[in-house]
Amino acid sequence: MATQDRLIESTQELLWERGYVGTSPKAIQQRAGVGQGSMYHHFDGKPDLAAAALRRSAEEMRAVAEERLAGPGTAYQRIEAYLLREREVLRGCRIGRMAQDPEVVADPRLRAPVEETFDWLRGRIAEVIAEGRAAGEFVPGADPADTAAAVVAVVQGGYVLARAADSVEPFRQAVRGALGLLAGLNAPAGA
Amino acid sequence: MATQDRLIESTQELLWERGYVGTSPKAIQQRAGVGQGSMYHHFDGKPDLAAAALRRSAEEMRAVAEERLAGPGTAYQRIEAYLLREREVLRGCRIGRMAQDPEVVADPRLRAPVEETFDWLRGRIAEVIAEGRAAGEFVPGADPADTAAAVVAVVQGGYVLARAADSVEPFRQAVRGALGLLAGLNAPAGA
């Protein structure tokens, strides 16, 4: 792997494990097996490298979500596939955890990939809900954008509850609860 | 205020602002206007003081939630009051943010008040939902514990989305979305 890619990948891992504040340039260099000079040859410093790592994590997360949301099945089934996809729940969300980090939120360059990822995700799920409504699968009622925000929030909040409990169970409960509530949008059979 | 209380309160504030990793004993002493010797007279060290601060924040958060959940109105209205209560959304949840902190999650004494708060909250909202069901307000269907986990997750995830966007709007959207979905539990009038 190219040095630049090794640096980005090591930073992605460290940000996920330790957060931004807890990740030092030295730890990145050690994980990547790259010297200080080489790191500063490729990147201006920790914020620059972290921004590149967050952009890559955001792209990866987006691709994984799109695979489920653009998959086969009804609107409900596509959202279900998104909610039930395999996740490393106890590690938390690589992107969402960054929003809790004061230094990330304070730096527009670091916050941008986090904000853009969630904007895209909420918009994409709102589209799926609107499609389900247009197809007569869902009853009209709840606003698609609001419902989509609730779906994304359940996943992000599920991670928080799971990490708090050191158990995946609260995440699974929250997802089952969301699916139960979303089932209420289904138009009655034969209606 | 007694020295011990000043230390606890300063730690509560700093944990909320900077997280556990970002809060140094020195910063606590400065904020509290207390010397190092005095701090170590009252507490064994940062973990001990942080545990006391988290326990107090947890008690406060629980009292605020209970006021809404035990308030007047239907089950739906009580959950609505909980979801719509005034919050400092962009500061995030004092308790939930701690679950993202690797050192908090790794220390059972620090994680305990976080876990207990969410256990209590999920259980309490499940009770309210079960009451609404017993009273014929809600249709039977979704499991109360699962639905309650989804409600708590929407709030925690709403904070994440709001901080990512540096705007309260995604939090409000998620809450509106959750209320729209919960309205689907309401039994049809006259049924």
Side-chain angles (χ1 to χ4, degrees), chain A residues 17 96-97 99-100 102 111 114-115 118 122 145-146 149-150 152-154 157-158 160-161 163-166 173-174 176-178 181, chain B residues 17 96-97 99-100 102 111 114-115 118 122 145-146 149-150 152-154 157-158 160-161 163-166 173-174 176-178 181:
Chain A
E17 286 165 26
R97 275 185 62 192
Q100 307 282 22
R111 191 171 61 73
V114 181
E115 177 173 22
F118 288 128
R122 286 186 288 139
D146 290 351
V152 176
V154 161
V160 172
L161 299 182
R163 283 176 62 88
D166 195 22
Q173 275 197 308
R176 283 197 305 266
L181 290 169
Chain B
E17 287 165 26
R97 275 185 62 191
Q100 307 282 23
R111 193 172 58 74
V114 180
E115 177 173 22
F118 288 128
R122 285 186 289 138
D146 290 350
V152 176
V154 161
V160 172
L161 300 181
R163 283 175 62 88
D166 195 22
Q173 275 197 309
R176 284 197 304 266
L181 290 170

Side-chain angles (χ1 to χ4, degrees), chain B residues 45-59:
Chain B
K46 177 175 144 180
D48 187 36
L49 181 44
L54 284 179
R55 281 196 303 274
R56 189 171 296 178
S57 293
E59 276 164 29

Side-chain angles (χ1 to χ4, degrees), chain A residues 113-157:
Chain A
V114 181
E115 177 173 22
E116 286 159 17
T117 304
F118 288 128
D119 277 355
W120 173 81
L121 189 55
R122 286 186 288 139
R124 190 67 187 90
I125 293 175
E127 271 174 25
V128 173
I129 293 170
E131 282 166 32
R133 201 192 263 195
E137 177 193 341
F138 288 150
V139 292
D143 178 71
D146 290 351
T147 309
V151 168
V152 176
V154 161
V155 171
Q156 292 302 315

Side-chain angles (χ1 to χ4, degrees), chain B residues 18-144:
Chain B
R18 307 186 193 175
Y20 182 74
V21 175
T23 296
S24 66
K26 194 167 183 68
I28 296 170
Q29 291 153 26
Q30 281 173 346
R31 174 87 50 121
V34 161
Q36 185 174 338
S38 179
M39 176 177 141
Y40 286 98
H41 171 73
H42 289 286
F43 297 96
D44 278 347
K46 177 175 144 180
D48 187 36
L49 181 44
L54 284 179
R55 281 196 303 274
R56 189 171 296 178
S57 293
E59 276 164 29
E60 290 166 1
M61 180 174 146
R62 191 170 151 153
V64 168
E66 179 61 13
E67 204 183 316
R68 274 74 184 177
L69 294 169
T74 63
Y76 179 88
Q77 286 166 339
R78 287 148 65 198
I79 294 171
E80 186 182 38
Y82 165 71
L83 285 171
L84 295 178
R85 81 166 175 84
E86 211 162 321
R87 295 165 199 269
E88 296 186 74
V89 170
L90 290 180
R91 294 184 75 185
C93 175
R94 289 199 281 185
I95 299 299
R97 275 185 62 191
M98 294 298 120
Q100 307 282 23
D101 207 312
E103 292 189 21
V104 170
V105 170
D107 183 336
R109 205 167 40 147
L110 293 174
R111 193 172 58 74
V114 180
E115 177 173 22
E116 286 159 16
T117 303
F118 288 128
D119 277 355
W120 173 82
L121 189 54
R122 285 186 289 138
R124 190 67 187 88
I125 292 176
E127 270 174 25
V128 173
I129 293 170
E131 283 165 32
R133 200 191 265 196
E137 177 193 341
F138 289 149
V139 292
D143 178 71

